[in-house]
Amino acid sequence: MRLVWTLCLALFSLSAADLTEQYRQTADRLIDAALADSEGYNRLAYLCYRIGPRLSGSPGLEKAIAWSVEQMKAAGLSNVRTIPAKVPHWERGRESATMVAPYEKPLHMLGLGMSIGTASGGITADVVTVNTFDDLAKLGREKIQGKIVLYNEEYRGYGPTRVYRSSGASRAAAYGAVAALVRSATPLAMQIPHTGEMNYDESQPKIPAAAVSPEDAMMMAWLTAGGVPVKVHLEMQARSLPDADSADVIGEIPGREHPEEVVVMGGHIDSWDVGQGAQDDGASIMACLQAVALMKKLGLQPRRTIRVAFWVNEENGGRGGAAYREFVGTQIKNQAAAIEMDGGAEAPRGFGASVDAASMELLQQIGKLLERVNAGEITAGGGGSDIGPLMRDGVPGLGERTVGTHYFDWHHTEADTLDKVNPEDFRKNVAALAVMGYVLADMPGRLVPGPGIGRRAQ
């Protein structure tokens, strides 16, 4: 079936009018509207300044969900609804870390999401420093038992570095550690700690885990490397409560010819409980909403349904993406494409796509329409965690990509605030999403997932 579908798409791309010329006028209308728009940024400002952090299980998230329903209806979208999801409910509580030897110094720290708290009165223990898990194994239980392990791995990209945040506590607990501190996963040293999700290995004792600023991590590592004993006092009131009721939010413009077929675009509505969730991921969901809202304002109705989705609980559970997949159910074959934006709203570069070679040619044609806003780069490999459940079942996935110059400076910190979102860059992202989303929903053919990406759903 995949071969037949690919051959049909290839014939279509050769015989039909080039998508660049076919959609040039419509794309220019969308780009013009996006670059002149202020409504989308104003919506983002309200989300950041009037609602604020939106951690799963929090009142802030539920307020944001109710407000988002109102915004989609105000934009004139159809079939606005929520998709129920049970989400984790973790609370940070009061927390602090202080180096008490060789001298007393408060540390810049944030507890890691889903960590347990300390016992009343906290933990005071010597610090042992490692860079890697290999270093941890070399020290062994004799040198780790009863101590706090500090992971001081230098930032080498988010993927390679975040493993110490996600599994470092359990790896340290296996050797008898009483707590874990992790150097924040960021290239920027500005005494800003970065939180994020961690996971426990149920076969190991659960110990508290927190991130510290790069400067504090480097200081303690330098001291211990020189043989200077370092002692830290850690207090955390973090706790996990029973799962809470929450929901995804969706709205759409029904297709004029094939309303049953859907192109979905979106990001995650939840955020960590620090900062305002401006870049991660408020700017993304507001840009996706505004992209569809502008189609509505311009009277554009594509062949297929274009849907905007605000997925819940991306940060510490992924329940929203799973709930959306369940909502789609047996109609997965009608999900024509999924676009996720979860990399902030700095200047856009283009899109990564997990599709076959013939589909890449079509996307390259669409990319030419975005050269006006320097967002025409189409590269292999794309998607995101929220659309992962769709992609695993054969839906072509795309990820909107930006220059990402400072995203990991602000990521999961107190500094993720509205002022970090440049209005001009935001509008360019709206333009890129509007053009890509509209053309995918309107073009005669459909994309095909690349080899090894899920399966072609029947």
Side-chain angles (χ1 to χ4, degrees):
M1 183 64 181
R2 175 185 289 274
L3 178 60
V4 172
W5 190 228
T6 303
L7 289 173
C8 288
L9 185 58
L11 289 172
F12 158 71
S13 64
L14 290 172
S15 61
D18 185 282
L19 294 180
T20 308
E21 296 309 314
Q22 184 178 351
Y23 288 99
R24 175 71 69 185
Q25 184 177 3
T26 301
D28 284 343
R29 289 181 66 200
L30 285 166
I31 292 171
D32 288 342
L35 296 183
D37 181 71
S38 60
E39 184 178 53
Y41 195 86
N42 288 339
R43 283 188 167 119
L44 175 60
Y46 188 99
L47 180 67
C48 292
Y49 286 165
R50 296 291 299 277
I51 297 177
R54 305 172 297 280
L55 184 61
S56 290
S58 71
L61 175 61
E62 297 314 303
K63 183 178 180 181
I65 289 170
W67 175 79
S68 297
V69 169
E70 295 174 359
Q71 294 305 300
M72 289 189 188
K73 290 180 178 178
L77 303 189
S78 301
N79 302 320
V80 176
R81 72 198 98 167
T82 57
I83 300 171
K86 283 282 190 180
V87 300
H89 185 184
W90 177 82
E91 292 183 347
R92 179 178 303 280
R94 294 177 59 185
E95 58 184 14
S96 65
T98 304
M99 185 176 75
V100 295
Y103 64 93
E104 187 167 321
K105 178 192 182 304
L107 300 175
H108 300 83
M109 66 82 76
L110 278 175
L112 295 180
M114 310 307 290
S115 173
I116 65 169
T118 61
S120 179
I123 294 170
T124 302
D126 292 329
V127 172
V128 58
T129 302
V130 298
N131 290 335
T132 67
F133 292 135
D134 286 341
D135 295 341
L136 188 74
K138 289 175 183 177
L139 287 177
R141 177 173 288 271
E142 182 180 349
K143 294 183 179 179
I144 294 174
Q145 179 82 37
K147 297 181 180 179
I148 295 173
V149 169
L150 167 66
Y151 292 97
N152 184 45
E153 175 69 350
E154 182 180 351
Y155 184 79
R156 303 181 190 280
Y158 185 61
T161 308
R162 70 184 291 271
V163 296
Y164 298 97
R165 185 191 79 201
S166 60
S167 61
S170 288
R171 298 285 287 268
Y175 294 99
V178 295
L181 299 176
V182 181
R183 175 171 166 168
S184 290
T186 176
L188 180 68
M190 287 289 287
Q191 292 290 19
I192 300 175
H194 294 233
T195 190
E197 183 185 20
M198 55 86 67
N199 303 288
Y200 285 115
D201 179 344
E202 295 299 327
S203 68
Q204 301 298 337
K206 292 183 179 181
I207 62 174
V212 295
S213 69
E215 295 96 328
D216 284 346
M218 287 186 279
M219 172 192 67
M220 290 186 285
W222 186 88
L223 289 168
T224 57
V228 179
V230 173
K231 192 182 295 289
V232 164
H233 178 73
L234 177 68
E235 291 192 44
M236 296 172 60
Q237 293 182 341
R239 61 175 185 163
S240 290
L241 300 171
D243 286 355
D245 292 321
S246 194
D248 298 333
V249 185
I250 61 173
E252 58 197 30
I253 299 175
R256 68 178 189 273
E257 292 181 8
H258 299 289
E260 76 284 359
E261 296 187 5
V262 176
V263 171
V264 62
M265 65 165 63
H268 62 88
I269 189 170
D270 63 305
S271 75
W272 283 106
D273 56 328
V274 294
Q276 297 162 359
Q279 289 279 2
D280 185 23
D281 198 26
S284 299
I285 58 174
M286 290 300 105
C288 289
L289 171 57
Q290 203 60 21
V292 179
L294 290 178
M295 297 178 204
K296 184 70 177 179
K297 284 186 177 183
L298 293 175
L300 298 173
Q301 185 180 18
R303 283 185 174 88
R304 301 175 190 85
T305 294
I306 182 78
R307 176 180 293 161
V308 60
F310 295 176
W311 290 290
V312 74
N313 186 229
E314 187 274 346
E315 293 292 5
N316 63 337
R319 306 278 182 85
Y324 182 81
R325 173 64 187 88
E326 184 177 351
F327 166 78
V328 170
T330 59
Q331 298 304 306
I332 187 70
K333 64 182 181 297
N334 286 326
Q335 296 287 300
I339 305 171
E340 182 168 344
M341 182 180 178
D342 187 16
E346 295 178 83
R349 288 171 41 202
F351 292 83
S354 296
V355 296
D356 71 355
S359 297
M360 282 297 291
E361 292 181 13
L362 296 179
L363 290 173
Q364 294 287 350
Q365 294 172 19
I366 301 172
K368 292 178 182 178
L369 297 169
L370 296 172
E371 291 175 353
R372 276 185 60 188
V373 289
N374 298 316
E377 181 180 286
I378 307 297
T379 54
S385 60
D386 283 318
I387 63 175
L390 299 176
M391 293 176 64
R392 285 191 287 275
D393 281 337
V395 178
L398 292 84
E400 202 254 20
R401 291 178 172 167
T402 74
V403 294
T405 306
H406 295 290
Y407 181 70
F408 287 107
D409 297 348
W410 311 312
H411 184 252
H412 296 182
T413 74
E414 293 274 4
D416 187 6
T417 49
L418 179 67
D419 55 289
K420 309 306 187 303
V421 183
N422 178 284
E424 182 178 354
D425 288 342
F426 177 83
R427 288 191 286 267
K428 289 179 180 178
N429 280 281
V430 173
L433 290 162
V435 172
M436 181 59 73
Y438 180 81
V439 177
L440 291 182
D442 191 72
M443 68 184 193
R446 283 175 53 170
L447 302 178
V448 176
I453 305 297
R455 58 177 174 78
R456 187 68 194 174
Q458 302 301 322

